[in-house]
Amino acid sequence: MNEQTETPEVDISVILTGHREQVLAGPSARSAREAIAYAETHLGLRCEIILVLDRSDVITRDVLLAGLSAGVRVIETDEGDPGQARNHGVDASKGRCVAFLDGDDLWSYNWLTAAWTMGLSRPDAVLHSNCNIVFGDEENLWWHVDSEDSFFDPGYLAWANYWDSMSFGSTEIYRRFPFRRNNLKLGFGHEDWHWNCLTYETGIPHKPVPDTVHFKRRREGSQMAQVNALGAVVWPLGLN
């Protein structure tokens, strides 16, 4: 009689999206591996890595596969859209929770551990780093605001984005609310802002995780930069 074995339960699906970051993807792969190793060692968490290569070039693919090593599930897409690439990763995920990382960004080593711990008491919330350090074509600090804090202004969210896409939360939330496709010709190139507005308006809190930091690269030619260059009136609340 053939014995059937069940697929082991996965706690966190790490979804890393690669495009054309080339050698810059190497530190991102190492960042993901370090955060996973820390989570496995300190909390015994079971993590999987889903690598979504969206119109990736050969160098980016080779760098990420070498840096992530064995056991990575690879999905190749032809979307040309960061939100749609993430949606493919969510569809393929087996984890209770999802964590996103772009191919030229970095996590603090404790990100998965701290987010998981906070998520145990707040499974209803989407979690963000406490602070983003932005580098590249722009350099600044971006502090994430708690939507349940008195500093949070819902009116401001209609004019500027409070949180980025490198978030953590239950897989069910991301499947319930997939990212909307960008339309640069219409001036819509902020899929994370739209997603934040949509989830907040439906009652999902957005909360920073204390003592965590992400490093975010700003680059010329990104979809966000392209839509900003249009001089369009950006209005994220068109939810139809």
Side-chain angles (χ1 to χ4, degrees), residues 9 18 20 34 43 46 53 79 94 96 99 104 111 115 117 123-124 136 161 165 174 183 187 202 226 232 237-238:
E9 182 181 359
R20 294 177 177 272
E34 288 181 346
L43 293 182
R46 293 158 293 185
L53 296 169
E79 298 285 358
K94 298 178 182 178
R96 293 171 55 187
D104 54 359
W111 168 239
T117 301
D124 60 320
N161 193 8
S165 60
Y174 295 100
N183 188 330
T202 54
Q226 290 179 51
L237 294 180

Side-chain angles (χ1 to χ4, degrees), residues 172-188:
E172 186 276 332
I173 292 177
Y174 295 100
R175 287 184 174 154
R176 182 182 172 194
F177 299 101
F179 290 94
R180 180 176 175 178
R181 183 179 297 278
N182 285 337
N183 188 330
L184 303 186
K185 292 182 179 179
L186 295 180
F188 182 79

Side-chain angles (χ1 to χ4, degrees), residues 10-64:
V10 176
D11 296 310
I12 303 173
S13 294
V14 172
I15 299 175
L16 198 160
T17 55
H19 305 277
R20 294 177 177 272
E21 296 85 1
Q22 299 196 346
V23 296
L24 292 176
S28 298
R30 180 174 180 178
S31 173
R33 276 298 184 192
E34 288 181 346
I36 290 171
Y38 191 81
E40 291 173 342
T41 300
H42 286 73
L43 293 182
L45 296 178
R46 293 158 293 185
C47 302
E48 67 170 351
I49 301 178
I50 300 173
L51 174 60
V52 183
L53 296 169
D54 186 34
R55 296 185 181 176
S56 173
D57 56 26
V58 174
I59 295 176
T60 301
R61 175 189 175 90
D62 290 348
V63 167
L64 285 171

